[in-house]
Structure formats: C-alpha cells, structure tokens
Amino acid sequence: MKKAIVIGAGFGGIASAIRLRKKGYSVEIIDRCNSLGGRAQVFNVNGFKHDAGPTLITAPFLFKELFDLFNKNINDYVKFVPLNPWYRFIFDDKTIFDYERSLTKTISNIKQISIEDSINYPKMLEASKKIYDVAFTELAHQPFHNFFYMVKQIPSLIKFSSHKSVYSFVSKYINNDKLRRAFSIPPLLVGGNPFSTTCIYSLIHYLERKHGVYFAMGGTGKIVEALGKLLNEIGVQVSLNSTIENINVIDSQITEVIDNYGKIKKADLYISNMDPLHLYKNIIKRPIKTSNFLKTKLAKHSMGLFVLFFGTKKKYSEVKHHTILFGKEYKKLLIKIFDGKSLPKDLSIYLHRPTATDMTFAPKNCDSYYALVPVPNLNAKIDWKKDAEFFKKLIISTLEKKVLKGLEENILETFYMTPLDFQNDYLSYKGSGFSIAPYFTQSAWFRFHNKSEIIKNLILVGAGTHPGAGIPGVLSSAKVMERLL
C-alpha cells in the first residue's frame, strides 16, 4: 500500500486525506495545532464558545461528498441549518438592508432602497449564474498546471470579462452606492479587494442562491469534529502538535520530511496544505523554476485580519447571525487596508453572533460574538504589540455606537487575534488572512499550481492554490488533487 503524508489539517488537508484513503493510500495527516481544522479552531472561555475560523457555509454538498465516499450519512455527524437573513447590512446612515433566503423578499428589500436596482438584481443574478456554470461547475475541480489547458479557457474568460473587477461587475447592474457596497463584498471573504479582484468571484451570488447559506449546529468546530470522527473510522493516522520544519529533496523528489522534534517521516506522496509562500520561501530550500520564482517573488498577499472575540452578559436579540457594518468610506478604506501602512480609523466590521441560531455558544441570557475587521497585513509594519489594545477599544466603541448599545457595560471575556498571530500560529506568510490575493493574475494557471512546479511527488491544496480561498475553494482543491492522481 502506498503511503501519503498530508502536511496541514485545514479543510483542504482533511478533505485530501479522506480522498486519498478512498483511493487506497495509507494516510497520515500532520498539523502544528493541538486539534484538527487549521484555522477552524475553537476557543472556550468561561462558558462562551467561539469559532476562530470560517463561519459561512455556502456549499454544504462539498462536505457531504466526503462522507458519501465511504457510504456514511453526514446527518449522523453534523446538522446544517439554513440561515435567514443570510446577512444584515447596516450602513453609516443607519439604513438597513437584509439579504434574504427568499429571492422575492430580497428584491422587495432592494426596492426599499432603489426601485431601479430591484429590477436589475435578477439580471445580475443571471450573469452570476453564467460565470458559476463555467468557473465553478466546470473548472473549480480541474487542474490548471498545464498552460495550454489555460489557453483553451480564454474564450470563456473573455466572454464574462474576467479581467474586470467584482465591483465593475456589480456596477453594471446596480446603481445605488449602498447596494454596490453590499453586493461587491464577497471578495473580502476570500482575501480580495472588490475593486481589483477578478469578477470570476461574482459567481458567489449565484452559488449562494443555488445552495443557500448555512450554519452548522455546534459551529464550524462541530464540522471539524465530524470530519475527525470520519478520519478515525476510515483509518487515517492523525499527528497533532507537530510542525514540519524541513523537507529534503533529491532529484526533484521529496525523500523525507522532518518535524520540530527531529522525527523523520517518509512517504510515496506528499500533500501540502501549508501557505505556498511559506512552503516555497521557508521550507523547500532549493533553486526553483522561473515561473515559480516569479509567483513567489511578486506575490500580492491578501489583507490581514483583526478578530475580536467577546461575550456579553446581555442578549441582543435584534442582532442577526451575520451583520456587516459599513463605515463612511468604502474605496478609500479598501486602499488603506490593501496598500496602506497604518490602521484605519473609520471601520467596516463583520459581526458574527452564533447565539442567534445556537444557544450553546454562551451561558443563559448571554451572547457570544466575534468582530472581524480587515486590516493591512504585516507588510505594513504595524506594531501590533503596541496598537492592538487601541484598535480593540476602537472596535468596541464602533459596535456600541452602531449596533450593540451599552456594550462597554455588558462586554465580557475579550481576547483577539492580529495578523501577527496568524503568522505565528498558522505560518501564514506576512500574516495574511487568505494567502495570496485573488487577482486575475493570481488565478487559475497564474496561481500556485496544485501539481508542484518543482517537486514531482508533491501536490498543493488549500487557499493559496487553485481554485482559491473560502470553504468551497479549499474543498475543491482536494478534488483537484484527486484528479491529478
């Protein structure tokens, strides 16, 4: 039986381990954290539970497929519940827009802001479907290491103007500034600036309409727990608290990997779920091909994330599960986040309140939250050890002013993660939240290849590889891995 070692136990790594086991490999999955999930860790603090990783589940069928491979019923492991509204948007002038599961209600809500845009929204959705049908249905699980395969896709890419940005795509159909903001934010959930991210990511509008937006009861940590149970049942070896620090290569083949304890591990096939920039810059110490060198040298990283976790001794029942708060600025704010060197003061915040759906996240009559704020990555040289407390207070005061009245009196158990933590805990290069940014010039063939450009028995999965970041992206990268075998 051939052996495979999977380095990194994020969703891409776990999905790869399951698919490898189905193909008959003996599989070991290795991760530096003390539990599976990669960034999808869970923090428990005095009765408050917090998911540290992704909380938006938009393509649950991709999880179902993993259980189906072994004739298991995913409903025996984890329960997904549909959310409504999917998101509540609150603008600086206190206007509220609920983006709902019902298409009819969503159009009605748009009409309250702009009658013209309520007429054009279905047209935007139809255009999104055309991108989805090609970019997701046909290409998301296809390998893109062959340049000529990329060339064959050019007519399709030209057809939906993939060189244009998500914001440009939205603006073609939507005129109201507030609605343009609301419908152009999906790239921020995968690490991109809406004004420069390829409009391929506009497929998210139709993906949500087709498959819905869900929450796993028990949180994302419950999904990880379910996958961990599956790994155990199918015989995948799991090694935690172990960091691969050296990869030895002879004649373009990995011969062994060495962890932080000096333990040597050997396999026939190696799967990396690490950030490709960390892998190629810090772990694989050998000359690399020109194309790979350029990708590594010229890579544009995604923004960083500041995540404030907290509980409240009061229930804010009017606050929805997912709330997105906009500040006064939008384009100017995004420039500061992606190109700036200092922390913004006019904030936009993604607020997650799981207790709107699942009461087990907090003690009785309390709420659990995290507030996620996009910030510059570590290229900005921000001194997080000095500035983090100031930024935390700014977030709390902003939340109190806009949505959580009396928060300063009711807040409990606060802690946070900065881009420095993402770098130290997850080996995320430059502390980026989503590896490399999803520009057109960093997509498909231009992204780090799933089939390593320089190592014959190495395949890459996860956010930095094709098809990209986000749960659907990283789970699909494991399907690409399977096709390569």
Side-chain angles (χ1 to χ4, degrees), residues 173-299:
Y173 304 94
I174 304 296
N175 286 319
N176 181 272
D177 177 66
K178 293 172 185 173
L179 294 173
R180 282 181 172 181
R181 292 187 184 199
F183 290 129
S184 67
I185 64 153
L188 283 165
L189 304 178
V190 292
N193 182 340
F195 288 89
S196 53
T197 295
T198 169
C199 73
I200 292 172
Y201 284 85
S202 296
L203 67 83
I204 292 173
H205 293 293
Y206 182 73
L207 181 143
E208 290 176 335
R209 281 282 156 219
K210 182 175 176 63
H211 301 292
V213 176
Y214 293 83
F215 179 73
M217 295 303 287
T220 312
K222 184 66 176 179
I223 303 175
V224 175
E225 180 184 313
L227 291 169
K229 185 177 179 183
L230 178 61
L231 289 173
N232 181 61
E233 290 172 352
I234 64 178
V236 172
Q237 180 183 346
V238 176
S239 300
L240 299 173
N241 297 302
S242 180
T243 303
I244 298 301
E245 294 186 338
N246 288 292
I247 294 177
N248 292 331
V249 178
I250 298 177
D251 295 331
S252 299
Q253 294 264 1
I254 296 176
T255 57
E256 61 188 17
V257 295
I258 306 172
D259 68 16
N260 53 316
Y261 302 106
K263 191 172 183 180
I264 296 172
K265 297 175 183 283
K266 297 176 182 285
D268 301 285
L269 175 69
Y270 298 84
I271 310 295
S272 171
N273 189 205
M274 291 188 284
D275 186 329
L277 286 165
H278 175 75
L279 173 71
Y280 285 129
K281 281 179 172 282
N282 301 327
I283 305 297
I284 296 179
K285 301 177 175 67
R286 59 176 278 120
I288 56 180
K289 292 181 180 179
T290 302
S291 63
N292 194 266
F293 172 79
L294 291 174
K295 289 178 187 178
T296 305
K297 189 75 174 175
L298 303 178

Side-chain angles (χ1 to χ4, degrees), residues 39-42 50-56 220 309 352 370 426:
R39 300 181 186 196
Q41 299 295 305
V42 179
H50 304 282
D51 276 323
T55 59
L56 288 166
T220 312
F309 303 90
H352 180 231
Y370 81 53
Y426 307 131

Side-chain angles (χ1 to χ4, degrees), residues 100-119:
E100 301 200 42
R101 183 172 41 166
S102 163
L103 178 59
T104 302
K105 288 184 178 179
T106 293
I107 292 173
S108 177
N109 294 343
I110 294 172
K111 193 174 184 179
Q112 300 303 311
I113 298 174
S114 168
I115 294 175
E116 180 187 8
D117 290 341
S118 70
I119 296 169

Side-chain angles (χ1 to χ4, degrees), residues 135-150:
F136 189 81
T137 303
E138 294 182 16
L139 302 179
H141 56 282
Q142 297 287 351
F144 263 86
H145 61 280
N146 188 312
F147 180 73
F148 294 104
Y149 182 78
M150 174 73 177

Side-chain angles (χ1 to χ4, degrees), residues 3 21 94 130 149 163 165 178 221 251 283 329 402 408 461 473:
K3 181 175 181 180
R21 192 74 190 95
K94 298 184 180 178
K130 291 177 181 178
Y149 182 78
H163 62 286
S165 72
K178 293 172 185 173
D251 295 331
I283 305 297
E329 298 178 339
K402 294 192 173 186
E408 292 188 9
V461 297

